[in-house]
Amino acid sequence: MNRIILKIILPFLFIFIQFGCQNPKQEELNTVPSKQNFNIVTTDANFKNLSASEQWDYVIEIVETPYTNSEEVEQWLLKKWAANSFKVDALDETTLGKINLALYHSNYSILGKKIAYFTIYSNFGKTHTKAHATAAAILLSEYNFLKQKDSLQLYVNFLKKEIATDTTKWLKIKYYENKANLADLNGKFFAAGVNYQKAIELTNPKDKLNLSILYQDLAVMYSNISYYDKAYTYIKKAVKLEGVDSIKINGLNIYGVIQYRSGDYKGAEQTYNNIITKALKENSSGILAQTYSNFGNLKCRQNKFDEAINYFSSSDSICKLLDIEIGFLINHINRSDVYYFQKNYSKALTELKKAEDIIVIYDNPKIKMELYQAISKNYDGQGEENLANKYFRKYTTLKEDYIGDLPRSVISEWELANETEIKNKQSSEFELTSQKQKNKYYLITIAGAIICLLLVCFLFYYKFKKEKEKERIIIEKNKISFELELKSKQLISESLNTISIQNTKDWINEELELIIQELPKIHQQKIISLSRNLKSNHVNQFLEEFETRFTGVYEEFFEKIKTIAPNLTSNELRICALMRVNISTKEMAVLTNRTIGTIENIRSTIRKKLCLEEQSNLQEFIINL
């Protein structure tokens, strides 16, 4: 009987395979060419023997070829450009586009900037506009690296006009990416998040390199508002896509900074050593200067001050050689931290005054904030209260303009909106896929009804109903999963808003307590009454509401954790619930009206009761429960 059924079913399997299981054409794997050494004498000889138009093709070939001594290549190219050896008269629009595209994908940033300017602003370039968009992308990369907002805004607007006619997909991605970078610089984090997401949606999922870069950009955005847990999440996504060894060394610098900001000093040190090895091998002096500066910061945090000063000096030497003035600016600020921790405030202020002389040429609010905050705390260390307050006011004004009152709430709002959009899209795609699968089954059923016996038709009908029931169950499970995720995000967003309201009320109370002392006694009672109203305890009400909603979202959470550790108290279970929705220790302290130290002690007790090993992460364990 089984053999008969097999003989009947096999033709249907063949038909099913033909209709539903055809393999899409696989993309060819990109092979990485091996690097070779650039020989100036041979290249010069070859260059002289070529016609003017052939010379441009030869330059494109040089730019596209990976060399071990890339700095010598760029020096040769710049020398030829400065001597007008490249004959502009021999250029055509197609070749101009090719040279810009080759330079965009190369490490020759100085030559790329010169050719890009020529493409956009020269008389020749103004009449040959097809390469304008690529040239703008080159300049955007340059000014994004320098964090120059005005120039970044100029070329974002320029690229916006160009992509109206040049619909090349990667240019649209670069437009949204740099629009997001500009919003990040301006402290408009919701707009930054939206535009990063647009760039991610346009990027091919198989394009791991560009996806990794976009995740790195998101990590930087989160680190700009000191949200290092989220920053670490996105940088790990970037690493997961390419692997640490595959990420470009400038991306690794971001990785290292977020590692040590998150407290992973050992990981950051390993990352920086890897970058230095790569930079020396690839002759990437600019990256080496940046890495030495970051390494110096790490050593400063480890109280290894002599090593920190040596790293900053090494960075300065390279900045002087390459004329990177922003590097001097950053190193002055970083070096002042070393002297501050050593309580040598006058020496720290000397460094900061040098930085203040340089900062006037850069419109970078993030660096200005760091500078003014550093000057303020060093004047405070010297006991010069007026000057300390002056610079602190500058810092707070700039921080207010750049970050605003509730950056995390704004980010949570974007995350919630983005998550909702993604879930809706996934739901639609799932329904469409389900419909397609149904259509395939209908075709199979019709074909089977024509050529099969009633028994076989009945068998397929039975199996069809069974599959349909499974489909219904899967859809229901996914629907429940989507709703749980959305409710979880709403809980986080409401928690953050509650923290903000509590902080504002605390601040108002502090101000009222100062004012009460200065008022006549006849008016003091009204202010005291108002102060008491503000101090009314809403924490218990919020926590009760939170526990009710949390139980509705994660029905089995408390049962699971009590199974593992039945001796957990109600307070400890409440802290576990807050950890499950990814709320930080500081935020837990505010929500539960406890100190951070108390929360840390409770977490330690929970860890012991759960019998977790030292290397195990408590929050990850609870989230995965």
Side-chain angles (χ1 to χ4, degrees):
M1 181 64 181
N2 289 338
R3 289 184 179 178
I4 294 170
I5 293 174
L6 256 175
K7 287 180 181 179
I8 296 170
I9 291 175
L10 280 174
F12 287 96
L13 288 175
F14 177 75
I15 293 169
F16 180 75
I17 290 168
Q18 290 290 90
F19 278 104
C21 301
Q22 293 177 357
N23 290 325
K25 185 178 180 181
Q26 294 183 347
E27 296 183 3
E28 293 183 3
L29 294 172
N30 293 323
T31 56
V32 180
S34 59
K35 292 189 176 184
Q36 54 185 282
N37 192 59
F38 180 75
N39 189 301
I40 294 176
V41 176
T42 304
T43 306
D44 265 327
N46 292 338
F47 186 79
K48 289 176 183 177
N49 292 329
L50 298 172
S51 66
S53 60
E54 289 173 335
Q55 285 178 346
W56 280 107
D57 292 333
Y58 189 50
V59 168
I60 294 171
E61 183 185 337
I62 290 171
V63 171
E64 290 177 340
T65 303
Y67 289 102
T68 54
N69 50 341
S70 57
E71 284 191 350
E72 292 180 26
V73 178
E74 186 162 33
Q75 288 171 7
W76 182 86
L77 290 166
L78 289 170
K79 184 178 178 182
K80 291 293 181 186
W81 176 261
N84 296 318
S85 298
F86 304 145
K87 305 300 179 187
V88 177
D89 296 339
L91 264 178
D92 57 52
E93 198 165 38
T94 302
T95 305
L96 184 61
K98 287 180 179 178
I99 186 67
N100 273 281
L101 187 61
L103 285 166
Y104 177 82
H105 292 292
S106 75
N107 293 321
Y108 306 131
S109 58
I110 301 174
L111 180 66
K113 188 175 178 181
K114 290 181 181 293
I115 298 287
Y117 274 125
F118 170 81
T119 302
I120 294 173
Y121 298 112
S122 71
N123 291 330
F124 176 83
K126 287 177 181 178
T127 57
H128 297 77
T129 59
K130 285 186 179 178
H132 279 189
T134 306
I138 292 172
L139 294 172
L140 281 169
S141 294
E142 174 72 14
Y143 292 117
N144 180 54
F145 177 75
L146 296 174
K147 304 302 178 190
Q148 293 186 5
K149 288 198 297 183
D150 291 342
S151 298
L152 201 57
Q153 181 71 72
L154 172 67
Y155 290 105
V156 163
N157 293 339
F158 185 89
L159 187 56
K160 182 181 180 181
K161 292 177 184 177
E162 292 301 319
I163 61 175
T165 53
D166 189 341
T167 57
T168 307
K169 195 173 182 180
W170 76 270
L171 288 171
K172 284 188 177 181
I173 293 170
K174 289 301 156 187
Y175 166 70
Y176 286 119
E177 180 186 354
N178 284 285
K179 190 177 179 183
N181 290 336
L182 181 62
D184 184 23
L185 273 178
N186 286 318
K188 300 183 184 300
F189 301 110
F190 187 92
V194 168
N195 284 289
Y196 281 134
Q197 189 58 40
K198 285 181 179 179
I200 288 170
E201 288 174 359
L202 283 171
T203 304
N204 188 326
K206 294 181 180 178
D207 187 358
K208 293 183 179 181
L209 173 61
N210 281 312
L211 273 180
S212 174
I213 290 169
L214 289 167
Y215 286 142
Q216 290 169 41
D217 288 336
L218 275 167
V220 171
M221 181 188 78
Y222 278 111
S223 67
N224 283 341
I225 56 170
S226 303
Y227 209 163
Y228 296 111
D229 290 342
K230 280 284 187 181
Y232 210 0
T233 298
Y234 276 101
I235 205 69
K236 283 192 286 188
K237 277 189 175 184
V239 170
K240 187 176 180 181
L241 277 173
E242 291 194 284
V244 174
D245 293 335
S246 300
I247 291 183
K248 289 186 176 180
I249 48 181
N250 57 337
L252 283 174
N253 254 313
I254 297 169
Y255 185 36
V257 170
I258 292 172
Q259 278 179 306
Y260 90 71
R261 290 283 189 183
S262 302
D264 184 6
Y265 291 167
K266 187 176 180 181
E269 189 162 348
Q270 184 178 351
T271 299
Y272 289 143
N273 281 321
N274 289 340
I275 299 171
I276 290 169
T277 302
K278 283 188 175 183
L280 290 171
K281 187 177 179 181
E282 297 176 12
N283 294 319
S284 300
S285 300
I287 297 296
L288 198 59
Q290 184 183 10
T291 308
Y292 282 146
S293 184
N294 288 336
F295 216 154
N297 271 336
L298 174 60
K299 292 299 180 183
C300 181
R301 296 302 182 278
Q302 294 173 313
N303 295 327
K304 298 177 180 179
F305 300 123
D306 290 340
E307 290 183 49
I309 292 293
N310 288 336
Y311 276 117
F312 294 141
S313 298
S314 298
S315 178
D316 279 340
S317 299
I318 299 171
C319 291
K320 183 176 181 181
L321 184 66
L322 300 179
D323 194 24
I324 306 175
E325 195 159 21
I326 195 169
F328 290 118
L329 167 63
I330 293 168
N331 286 334
H332 285 313
I333 297 172
N334 291 341
R335 199 159 19 236
S336 75
D337 275 347
V338 174
Y339 298 131
Y340 175 78
F341 288 127
Q342 294 176 324
K343 297 185 179 180
N344 192 340
Y345 305 119
S346 61
K347 206 165 184 178
L349 285 165
T350 300
E351 294 289 338
L352 293 168
K353 287 300 180 184
K354 291 176 183 177
E356 196 173 16
D357 291 339
I358 301 172
I359 196 71
V360 293
I361 64 174
Y362 293 101
D363 185 16
N364 190 314
K366 183 76 165 120
I367 296 178
K368 282 184 180 178
M369 282 164 54
E370 290 179 8
L371 174 61
Y372 295 149
Q373 187 181 34
I375 293 175
S376 174
K377 70 183 182 182
N378 277 284
Y379 273 131
D380 188 54
Q382 282 190 334
E384 298 186 45
E385 187 177 345
N386 289 336
L387 286 170
N389 289 338
K390 172 187 171 182
Y391 279 97
F392 186 75
R393 283 192 295 273
K394 282 188 174 186
Y395 160 70
T396 52
T397 301
L398 197 58
K399 183 180 179 183
E400 177 68 24
D401 292 340
Y402 176 58
I403 295 179
D405 291 330
L406 300 170
R408 290 197 181 187
S409 294
V410 171
I411 288 295
S412 291
E413 183 184 348
W414 163 68
E415 287 176 341
L416 182 60
N418 182 51
E419 193 70 20
T420 303
E421 185 179 344
I422 290 171
K423 297 299 180 186
N424 289 338
K425 186 178 178 182
Q426 288 176 344
S427 180
S428 298
E429 289 174 352
F430 183 82
E431 288 176 9
L432 182 63
T433 303
S434 179
Q435 188 60 48
K436 286 180 178 179
Q437 288 176 345
K438 288 177 182 178
N439 292 339
K440 289 175 185 178
Y441 278 120
Y442 291 147
L443 285 172
I444 294 170
T445 304
I446 292 168
I450 296 171
I451 61 174
C452 279
L453 298 172
L454 184 60
L455 179 62
V456 177
C457 290
F458 175 78
L459 178 63
F460 271 86
Y461 175 74
Y462 172 78
K463 291 181 74 175
F464 170 74
K465 286 202 71 174
K466 198 171 181 181
E467 288 297 325
K468 192 174 180 181
E469 180 62 21
K470 284 182 181 177
E471 253 181 51
R472 187 189 65 76
I473 293 169
I474 290 170
I475 290 171
E476 287 296 323
K477 284 184 177 178
N478 277 312
K479 185 179 177 183
I480 292 168
S481 176
F482 296 154
E483 289 174 355
L484 290 180
E485 287 294 328
L486 289 175
K487 287 181 180 178
S488 175
K489 290 291 180 180
Q490 287 168 352
L491 284 174
I492 295 171
S493 182
E494 289 176 9
S495 299
L496 292 171
N497 285 332
T498 301
I499 292 167
S500 172
I501 292 167
Q502 181 62 33
N503 286 339
T504 303
K505 290 175 73 175
D506 290 343
W507 177 81
I508 292 171
N509 256 320
E510 289 173 3
E511 293 298 314
L512 285 175
E513 287 176 4
L514 294 174
I515 292 169
I516 286 170
Q517 304 301 322
E518 298 175 2
L519 288 174
K521 289 187 177 180
I522 193 169
H523 298 300
Q524 283 184 5
Q525 190 58 40
K526 291 181 180 179
I527 304 299
I528 291 169
S529 176
L530 176 60
S531 177
R532 284 173 181 167
N533 288 336
L534 286 171
K535 288 179 179 178
S536 61
N537 189 4
H538 70 283
V539 172
N540 289 336
Q541 293 177 358
F542 168 75
L543 290 174
E544 287 172 7
E545 182 183 351
F546 171 80
E547 287 176 7
T548 301
R549 295 189 64 186
F550 179 88
T551 305
V553 176
Y554 303 99
E555 296 177 4
E556 299 177 359
F557 176 81
F558 288 123
E559 291 179 8
K560 287 181 180 178
I561 200 164
K562 284 178 181 178
T563 302
I564 300 169
N567 57 339
L568 286 170
T569 66
S570 58
N571 281 335
E572 289 164 354
L573 287 170
R574 184 176 294 160
I575 296 301
C576 289
L578 291 171
M579 281 192 283
R580 177 62 183 81
V581 293
N582 208 18
I583 291 179
S584 69
T585 301
K586 182 179 178 182
E587 292 161 348
M588 287 182 201
V590 175
L591 285 172
T592 58
N593 202 19
R594 288 180 168 85
T595 65
I596 292 174
T598 302
I599 298 298
E600 291 291 351
N601 288 337
I602 294 172
R603 285 172 64 111
S604 179
T605 304
I606 292 168
R607 170 183 284 278
K608 289 177 182 177
K609 289 183 179 181
L610 290 171
C611 300
L612 292 182
E613 296 177 359
E614 282 188 9
Q615 63 269 27
S616 298
N617 185 294
L618 174 60
Q619 190 144 356
E620 284 184 4
F621 175 84
I622 287 176
I623 288 172
N624 293 325
L625 197 63

